[in-house]
Amino acid sequence: MIISLGFIRSSSQVLIKELNWLQNSLETRIIDVTDLADQNLQALFIHDNEHYSSLVSLLEKEKAFYPILDANDENLTLSSFESMPAQQFRDVYLKVLNRWTMHQNFSSIENVWKITNHFRELWKKDRITFFEEFWYWMKRNLGATEMTMLFNDVISTEEKDENNEKKERPKLTTSLLSGTKKCNFQQGAAKERELMANYIDKFHDVFEVTEFNPSKGQFVATAQIERSPIMFMARTAQLNQLQRTVLSAVFNGLQV
């Protein structure tokens, strides 16, 4: 798992520090602000209000994906951020992650009726949009750096009938949405079908976290909606009771 934090260096440059969670090693690089949209950041710090003013239109789009914070509130300067050792980097990240996910969780609790109704409607009318929107919602509430959702899907295939004529027939398959900052839809292969089969006994009407290893940042959970199994695999350094409760509450609402 790679944790990326950014610090606006000037109106045209951003300093990025990346921590390899397992190896506890840091790397530093500088990017152009125009490349921010392509970065999978977990937080971005700003020290100069003038920089924020000059980049406000860009940052307004980015704040949907990660928190944008005043560096003064974290007692950070560009120099201290650049020279920050790995352990301090971890501490800052976990502090930011906790605040970000808590805000997302409480917002979900306050709007749980609206959220569950919205997802129930999508489930009935547009399954792909349901999974796309649910991917983003769940990723924010987990504070995940990346996430994959596996689910059953029906595709049309051409097969020859008894008269040797081609006809379209529905076929059950495994599909997935996967990504870091944004998700991509893919048709699953043999390994995805095998993975779903390995967890067949874990799919129930309730949301269940089957694995969580904070030292590796590995998270696996299962659920079922109208007998349709869904599997979640994510990278996150934290999973607390509030997050578990929010995720369970939304899935309980989807069973009604």
Side-chain angles (χ1 to χ4, degrees):
M1 181 170 69
I2 303 297
I3 305 301
S4 300
L5 303 180
F7 197 113
I8 293 185
R9 189 169 183 260
S10 68
S11 59
S12 61
Q13 291 183 328
V14 179
L15 178 68
I16 305 290
K17 287 183 75 74
E18 293 184 331
L19 174 73
N20 185 306
W21 195 256
L22 281 176
Q23 298 177 9
N24 203 40
S25 59
L26 281 171
E27 291 188 2
T28 302
R29 57 192 173 91
I30 295 174
I31 66 165
D32 191 277
V33 292
T34 57
D35 294 326
L36 260 182
D38 300 322
Q39 304 300 311
N40 182 36
L41 296 185
Q42 280 66 66
L44 178 65
F45 297 101
I46 301 175
H47 192 260
D48 192 326
N49 286 333
E50 288 186 11
H51 294 161
Y52 179 83
S53 299
S54 65
L55 301 171
V56 65
S57 60
L58 173 62
L59 298 180
E60 281 295 311
K61 296 176 183 177
E62 290 298 299
K63 71 179 184 180
F65 300 102
Y66 51 81
I68 297 175
L69 307 165
D70 187 336
N72 292 316
D73 292 340
E74 310 300 330
N75 296 316
L76 288 176
T77 63
L78 178 61
S79 177
S80 65
F81 179 81
E82 189 169 14
S83 61
M84 185 186 297
Q87 186 56 54
Q88 185 184 357
F89 184 99
R90 279 176 176 261
D91 293 343
V92 169
Y93 166 64
L94 289 173
K95 182 180 177 182
V96 168
L97 174 66
N98 184 59
R99 286 204 308 259
W100 166 258
T101 56
M102 188 176 296
H103 171 75
Q104 300 297 325
N105 296 162
F106 281 127
S107 176
S108 292
I109 290 172
E110 291 171 357
N111 297 282
V112 67
W113 186 85
K114 180 179 178 181
I115 290 169
T116 52
N117 274 342
H118 175 67
F119 282 139
R120 275 203 301 266
E121 287 300 307
L122 284 180
W123 178 261
K124 296 174 185 176
K125 297 178 180 178
D126 189 343
R127 291 285 174 91
I128 296 302
T129 301
F130 167 87
F131 285 114
E132 288 177 344
E133 291 195 15
F134 204 91
W135 186 93
Y136 283 105
W137 176 84
M138 189 166 174
K139 183 177 182 293
R140 288 194 300 270
N141 279 268
L142 277 176
T145 61
E146 60 182 281
M147 194 171 77
T148 297
M149 294 173 60
L150 296 174
F151 52 92
N152 286 341
D153 197 8
V154 177
I155 60 173
S156 295
T157 59
E158 279 193 349
E159 295 181 4
K160 291 183 179 180
D161 61 14
E162 61 275 8
N163 298 319
N164 205 32
E165 294 180 354
K166 290 184 178 180
K167 289 191 175 181
E168 285 193 353
R169 299 183 186 276
K171 179 182 178 181
L172 185 66
T173 186
T174 300
S175 295
L176 64 151
L177 281 174
S178 185
T180 53
K181 186 175 183 178
K182 299 179 181 180
C183 61
N184 297 298
F185 176 82
Q186 303 172 53
Q187 291 293 334
K191 68 175 183 178
E192 282 78 26
R193 292 192 294 271
E194 182 180 352
L195 189 57
M196 291 282 277
N198 289 341
Y199 281 81
I200 192 66
D201 295 333
K202 298 291 186 179
F203 295 111
H204 306 290
D205 291 343
V206 295
F207 179 81
E208 180 182 356
V209 177
T210 61
E211 298 170 34
F212 176 59
N213 186 330
S215 62
K216 294 183 178 181
Q218 294 176 339
F219 167 93
V220 179
T222 56
Q224 185 172 268
I225 304 175
E226 294 182 352
R227 298 187 179 182
S228 295
I230 310 171
M231 185 175 179
F232 308 89
M233 297 179 292
R235 294 284 185 179
T236 183
Q238 172 186 280
L239 181 66
N240 56 42
Q241 189 56 50
L242 177 59
Q243 291 169 301
R244 290 174 184 263
T245 299
V246 169
L247 295 171
S248 296
V250 170
F251 270 98
N252 287 341
L254 293 175
Q255 305 304 328
V256 177

